[in-house]
Amino acid sequence: MKFIVSSSALLKQISAINGVITSNPVVPILENFLFEIQDGLLTITASDLQTSMITEIDVESSENGSIAVPAKILLDTLKNLPEQPVTLTIDEETYSIEISSDNGRYKLAGENATDFPKVQEVENPDTVDVSADILATAINHTIYATSNDELRPAMGGVYVNFDETNTTFVATDGNRLVRYRRVDVASDAGTGIIIPRKALTLLKNCLPAENVNVAVEFNMSNAYFKFNNIKMICRLVDERFPDYENVIPAQNDIKMTINRQEFMSSLRRISIYANKTTHQVRLKISGSELQIFAEDLDFSNEANEILACEHQGEDIEIGFNAKFLVEMLNNLSSKEISIEMSAPNKAGLLFPSDLDENEDILLLVMPVMLNNYV
């Protein structure tokens, strides 16, 4: 089997899906790309058993066939070749691969394509169409709040609830929670699924800059995403997501509105002096003034700053994890944000001041002195 393809075009396609491949896969053949040629179309698959990504590219070939190609060697070779046509010749008996270019020849050992695991299919799926920019925004707003705790796998992904009037994306790690809702994306499926963090990271990294349509299909086991010439199939997290609505405080009579950038910059400076384990900062709100304190008693470090703010309700002093606050503020783009609170031992709610009419976002952060709420 033999085919000719542009080196830069092939590099672009395999770079888009290479993130799926792990360094020490459970099945050794998963260190390879699966190449399949049918009528001049090369289909390339990468998988880690949980997530599979597939891309396609036109090539010059008069033959059909398949081969498993070592991913790292191929990727490194193409990265160091100037743009030019390259010829790949495959011996289907020995599985050896020879890459011919203007510069020289490179031989590598492939594997039998039949040993490559079959990509799972989404059977009897529900479907919804989402624009790439909306999907990217939803992922960016939520993915950082997912948990790394392997003992709580339900929190290791983003919960997506499809409703006939809206779609809600939720992530939490037990100390903070983000709920992002779109009213311009809806499905009558009435289904909630948990998409793993790795799959969403891969999806975010390969979503195009131009606003194309992403076709989404899902059932209770798998989700499928398709746009341009890329497809991704991932296994969903088979766990029950925490009842997040119950942890959102309903009555919050204390409200502070402040410039987001000034608040975030101040927190970054003050947190340098906070305890390195708790990252605790204290916010004291009185009148139109916010005082931010931090101290590390072990090293006798302390700092404080005063910022102007708008304040409604009683005065309050409350502690938060500065690292969480900064990360939340950094993932917003509004000029101002509001923090709503009810008591020093209750969660604080963050809201950006200016949002698109089709979106709604709520960010919740727990006081550092409380136990996790889940």
Side-chain angles (χ1 to χ4, degrees):
M1 185 175 72
K2 180 178 179 181
F3 66 91
I4 301 170
V5 66
S6 159
S7 61
S8 60
L10 182 57
L11 176 62
K12 181 181 178 182
Q13 297 306 314
I14 64 174
S15 295
I17 65 172
N18 180 60
V20 180
I21 299 173
T22 57
S23 55
N24 293 300
V26 177
V27 184
I29 199 170
L30 294 178
E31 291 180 323
N32 296 261
F33 293 118
L34 174 62
F35 278 24
E36 297 174 291
I37 296 179
Q38 185 73 35
D39 300 329
L41 183 68
L42 171 62
T43 302
I44 308 168
T45 304
S47 178
D48 67 356
L49 293 182
Q50 299 298 315
T51 305
S52 300
M53 293 188 74
I54 303 166
T55 186
E56 297 174 338
I57 183 173
D58 290 319
V59 298
E60 291 182 36
S61 177
S62 58
E63 303 171 80
N64 297 333
S66 57
I67 185 77
V69 184
K72 188 175 188 310
I73 296 178
L74 178 63
L75 199 61
D76 289 345
T77 303
L78 294 174
K79 280 179 180 177
N80 289 285
L81 277 178
E83 158 56 20
Q84 59 186 287
V86 292
T87 302
L88 278 78
T89 306
I90 294 104
D91 186 322
E92 297 185 68
E93 291 186 2
T94 64
Y95 309 118
S96 68
I97 304 161
E98 183 179 279
I99 304 171
S100 304
S101 71
D102 294 342
N103 306 73
R105 297 175 183 273
Y106 318 92
K107 280 192 172 182
L108 59 157
E111 293 189 51
N112 191 342
T114 58
D115 295 333
F116 200 92
K118 298 294 182 186
V119 175
Q120 62 267 31
E121 295 182 0
V122 183
E123 298 177 353
N124 304 315
D126 292 302
T127 61
V128 63
D129 289 336
V130 188
S131 66
D133 63 337
I134 289 176
L135 189 55
T137 300
I139 295 172
N140 286 330
H141 273 311
T142 52
I143 196 167
Y144 69 90
T146 55
S147 173
N148 294 315
D149 189 349
E150 294 183 358
L151 297 177
R152 298 192 287 185
M155 296 186 189
V158 174
Y159 175 72
V160 185
N161 186 65
F162 296 96
D163 192 80
E164 58 187 22
T165 58
N166 60 65
T167 297
T168 304
F169 303 80
V170 185
T172 181
D173 62 3
N175 295 301
R176 55 189 169 168
L177 179 146
V178 182
R179 185 190 69 193
Y180 181 71
R181 183 169 288 154
R182 299 289 310 201
V183 297
D184 52 352
V185 179
S187 167
D188 56 8
T191 304
I193 60 175
I194 305 174
I195 305 175
R197 179 177 56 251
K198 179 181 177 179
L200 289 175
T201 302
L202 292 167
L203 183 61
K204 180 184 76 169
N205 291 342
C206 67
L207 282 172
E210 65 271 17
N211 191 20
V212 301
N213 184 68
V214 180
V216 184
E217 298 182 0
F218 58 92
N219 56 22
M220 297 312 295
S221 303
N222 301 294
Y224 168 93
F225 303 84
K226 184 180 185 304
F227 54 93
N228 294 344
N229 61 338
I230 290 181
K231 303 171 189 172
M232 186 181 86
I233 303 98
C234 69
R235 188 166 289 147
L236 300 174
V237 179
D238 185 18
E239 296 283 340
R240 182 178 177 275
F241 198 75
D243 187 4
Y244 65 92
E245 292 286 0
N246 281 340
V247 305
I248 301 173
Q251 297 293 326
N252 302 286
D253 300 325
I254 303 167
K255 180 179 179 180
M256 177 190 74
T257 303
I258 193 168
N259 181 281
R260 180 185 66 87
Q261 193 64 52
E262 290 179 6
F263 186 33
M264 183 167 63
S265 298
S266 179
L267 285 169
R268 281 178 167 150
R269 291 189 295 269
I270 294 292
S271 64
I272 297 169
Y273 297 84
N275 181 281
K276 302 309 175 193
T277 303
T278 65
H279 305 285
Q280 185 192 46
V281 293
R282 286 182 293 133
L283 310 183
K284 185 176 182 181
I285 308 165
S286 56
S288 59
E289 206 173 70
L290 166 66
Q291 296 183 59
I292 308 176
F293 303 88
E295 60 182 351
D296 188 345
L297 297 176
D298 295 337
F299 297 97
S300 300
N301 297 333
E302 62 177 71
N304 69 85
E305 288 188 17
I306 298 175
L307 299 176
C309 68
E310 295 179 19
H311 171 216
Q312 300 172 15
E314 298 178 357
D315 293 352
I316 189 172
E317 185 169 350
I318 187 169
F320 290 118
N321 183 314
K323 184 180 173 184
F324 291 161
L325 279 179
V326 168
E327 198 166 19
M328 288 174 154
L329 293 169
N330 195 46
N331 277 277
L332 297 173
S333 57
S334 61
K335 183 178 179 181
E336 293 186 332
I337 60 103
S338 297
I339 302 180
E340 297 183 6
M341 299 154 284
S342 57
N345 63 343
K346 297 287 180 67
L349 302 180
L350 280 72
F351 299 93
S353 59
D354 47 346
L355 285 173
D356 184 280
E357 62 180 6
N358 292 315
E359 64 180 348
D360 173 66
I361 184 167
L362 174 148
L363 302 95
L364 178 150
V365 59
M366 298 297 290
V368 292
M369 69 282 292
L370 288 185
N371 293 325
N372 293 350
Y373 58 84
V374 284

